């Protein structure tokens, strides 16, 4: 089996919790170097990959001719500069979502990757959530007939503001619209494509917060309304997904279990029930033909890295193209314009 020599740039929770365990579950990747200087992250990296070389300078990765792939798990405002250097050094790149803080930077990276004949992708792993895969099956099979309304939530309750780059207004790409919003937007675009119009209400609700921590985003399509909501002050959560169509409705509470598994240190290869939702949170399907609990599809985060490996070694098409990652940012920019101008924005 061909090995893909891999390096991590950054190894905070995004690397050690959400990427490394999934990558380790897919055969063919060899993590050779990790860029980090934080003592805690260094210790975690050595524990996760005992043979890895910890480096303190990005150049030590860029100048290593054996490195095939660089995984960027860095603050959002650093994605562009680190990805650009990687592509110029001849390395394939996976960027943690969101792709970049703005469309201009995303387009420049897409053009550079094309010129260099390199793979560039974005880690939109929540396309492979159990609940979203279930919704996707419902839409694609036409179980609800023609879908007329779709609402998705990514709500949490954390009333204290954390220190760090995600909640620091000095850093481009900070705030909930980039963080959780990028997941919801990517899922909606997967189902329905690009919208015709965008409207957004973006708020900063918590005491002492300096970046947005709640939003309602409406995407308008011909004969379809998509509502995406997220907030940090939602103690009592409603449905995660709610769809209505000409033949009925689907309502789903609860969330995919993979994130909690990862937070507890579990790995797909050691967890027999990986990605399997308990029956208690299956969604309810109510159509003109039947009413029942619908068993959720099995979540599959490892698909992200299996697809990437196949793309690097066998020429398989990327499941998440850089253009798709860029389109998420286009919607975010339109949403910000809508909020600033208090009007519906025609999407182009």
């Amino acid at each position: 089996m061909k090995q893909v020599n891999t390096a991590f740039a950054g190894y905070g929770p995004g690397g050690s919790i959400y990427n490394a365990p999934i990558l380790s579950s897919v055969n063919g990747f060899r993590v050779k170097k990790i860029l980090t200087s934080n003592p805690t992250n260094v210790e975690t990296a050595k524990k996760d990959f005992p043979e890895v070389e910890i480096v303190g300078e990005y150049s030590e990765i860029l100048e290593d001719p054996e490195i095939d792939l660089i995984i960027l798990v860095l603050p959002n405002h650093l994605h562009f500069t680190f990805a650009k250097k990687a592509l110029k050094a001849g390395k394939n790149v996976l960027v943690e979502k969101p792709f970049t803080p703005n469309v201009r930077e995303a387009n420049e990276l897409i053009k550079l990757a094309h010129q260099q004949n390199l793979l560039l992708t974005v880690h939109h792993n929540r396309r492979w959530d159990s609940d979203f895969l279930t919704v996707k099956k419902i839409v694609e099979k036409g179980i609800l007939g023609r879908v007329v309304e779709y609402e998705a939530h990514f709500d949490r309750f954390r009333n204290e503001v954390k220190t760090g780059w995600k909640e620091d207004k000095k850093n481009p790409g900070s705030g909930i619209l980039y963080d959780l919003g990028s997941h919801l937007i990517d899922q909606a675009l997967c189902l329905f494509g690009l919208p015709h119009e965008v409207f957004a209400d973006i708020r900063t609700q918590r005491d002492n917060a300096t970046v947005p921590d709640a939003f309602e985003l409406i995407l308008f399509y011909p004969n379809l309304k998509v509502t995406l909501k997220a907030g940090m002050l939602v103690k009592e959560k409603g449905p995660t997904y709610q769809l209505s169509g000409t033949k009925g409705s689907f309502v789903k509470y609860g969330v995919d279990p993979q994130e909690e598994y990862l937070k507890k240190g579990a790995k797909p290869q050691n967890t027999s029930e990986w990605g399997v939702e308990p029956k208690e949170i299956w969604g309810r399907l109510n159509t003109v033909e039947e009413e029942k609990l619908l068993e959720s599809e099995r979540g599959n985060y490892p698909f992200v890295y299996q697809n990437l490996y196949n793309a690097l070694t066998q020429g398989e098409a990327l499941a998440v193209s850089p253009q798709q990652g860029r389109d998420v940012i286009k919607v975010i920019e339109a949403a910000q314009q809508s909020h600033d101008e208090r009007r519906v924005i025609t999407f182009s």
Side-chain angles (χ1 to χ4, degrees):
M1 173 173 263
K2 183 178 178 181
Q3 277 197 334
V4 175
N5 289 316
T6 303
F8 278 93
Y11 206 70
S16 62
I17 295 176
Y18 296 106
N19 279 275
I22 303 300
L23 174 140
S24 298
S25 72
V26 176
N27 292 328
F29 291 99
R30 175 195 171 216
V31 179
K32 188 170 185 273
K33 290 183 176 180
I34 294 178
L35 171 67
T36 186
S37 57
N38 180 289
T40 301
N41 295 346
V42 168
E43 185 178 338
T44 302
K46 288 181 176 179
K47 180 181 176 183
D48 292 344
F49 302 101
E51 305 300 320
V52 79
E53 181 182 351
I54 307 296
V55 299
E57 297 293 335
Y58 193 34
S59 59
E60 296 181 68
I61 291 174
L62 299 176
E63 295 169 7
D64 186 338
E66 292 188 353
I67 297 295
D68 306 301
L69 170 69
I70 299 178
I71 300 170
L72 299 180
V73 194
L74 299 159
N76 298 344
H77 63 282
L78 299 178
H79 288 183
F80 172 72
T81 54
F82 274 71
K84 185 176 181 179
K85 288 179 180 179
L87 292 168
K88 283 190 170 182
K91 312 301 183 185
N92 301 288
V93 179
L94 179 146
V95 184
E96 182 55 61
K97 66 81 203 168
F99 189 7
T100 54
N102 60 67
V103 170
R104 177 187 57 78
E105 292 178 345
N107 282 333
E108 186 174 336
L109 293 178
I110 291 168
K111 182 179 179 181
L112 181 58
H114 178 73
Q115 291 171 342
Q116 297 284 82
N117 195 29
L118 293 165
L119 290 185
L120 173 64
T121 188
V122 184
H123 189 234
H124 278 297
N125 62 322
R126 288 192 178 273
R127 290 189 193 183
W128 291 274
D129 277 355
S130 53
D131 41 17
F132 179 70
L133 289 173
T134 306
V135 167
K136 187 168 181 276
K137 182 177 77 170
I138 289 170
V139 172
E140 289 180 346
K141 289 192 172 184
I143 294 172
L144 299 180
R146 177 172 55 82
V147 176
V148 298
E149 192 153 358
Y150 168 96
E151 184 165 336
H153 286 243
F154 203 148
D155 294 320
R156 291 177 170 169
F157 185 78
R158 192 176 73 230
N159 56 6
E160 294 183 358
V161 177
K162 281 188 174 181
T163 58
W165 61 267
K166 283 189 179 182
E167 302 205 44
D168 189 340
K169 66 178 180 180
K170 296 194 299 292
N171 297 323
S174 58
I176 196 170
L177 191 57
Y178 281 93
D179 186 22
L180 304 183
S182 61
H183 288 308
L184 293 176
I185 294 167
D186 180 67
Q187 290 178 347
L189 299 189
C190 282
L191 293 177
F192 308 115
L194 294 172
H196 285 210
E197 295 175 312
V198 175
F199 177 77
D201 179 63
I202 305 169
R203 295 177 180 266
T204 304
Q205 296 180 329
R206 292 172 299 168
D207 296 336
N208 302 315
T210 62
V211 297
D213 55 12
F215 68 82
E216 179 173 8
L217 175 60
I218 302 176
L219 310 181
F220 295 104
Y221 299 79
N223 304 313
L224 169 67
K225 176 186 175 186
V226 169
T227 303
L228 309 175
K229 293 189 70 173
M232 300 302 290
L233 291 178
V234 185
K235 185 68 170 172
E236 190 68 30
K237 295 179 177 62
T240 309
Y241 293 95
Q242 198 163 356
L243 288 79
S244 297
T246 55
K247 291 184 179 179
S249 298
F250 178 73
V251 179
K252 172 74 171 63
Y253 289 81
V255 295
D256 173 278
Q258 292 175 96
E259 181 177 3
E260 287 306 310
Y261 276 137
L262 291 170
K263 286 180 176 179
K264 293 174 182 176
K267 296 182 179 180
Q269 64 269 38
N270 301 329
T271 309
S272 61
E273 295 298 295
W274 184 270
V276 176
E277 281 193 4
K279 187 175 182 179
E280 295 75 44
I281 60 169
W282 291 356
R284 178 160 293 279
L285 181 69
N286 188 351
T287 72
V288 293
E289 298 168 347
E290 61 182 341
E291 181 177 357
K292 67 176 184 179
L293 286 178
L294 183 64
E295 182 176 357
S296 295
E297 296 294 293
R298 187 167 189 163
N300 189 16
Y301 287 173
F303 182 88
V304 178
Y305 276 103
Q306 187 62 65
N307 167 253
L308 180 54
Y309 179 81
N310 293 347
L312 289 167
T313 61
Q314 302 167 26
E316 183 174 294
L318 285 169
V320 183
S321 71
Q323 289 83 1
Q324 291 171 337
R326 183 268 322 276
D327 287 343
V328 170
I329 307 304
K330 286 180 73 173
V331 173
I332 288 176
E333 287 190 347
Q336 189 61 59
Q337 182 185 357
S338 170
H339 174 80
D340 292 343
E341 300 177 7
R342 307 308 296 164
R343 67 183 181 93
V344 172
I345 300 298
T346 300
F347 191 80
S348 61

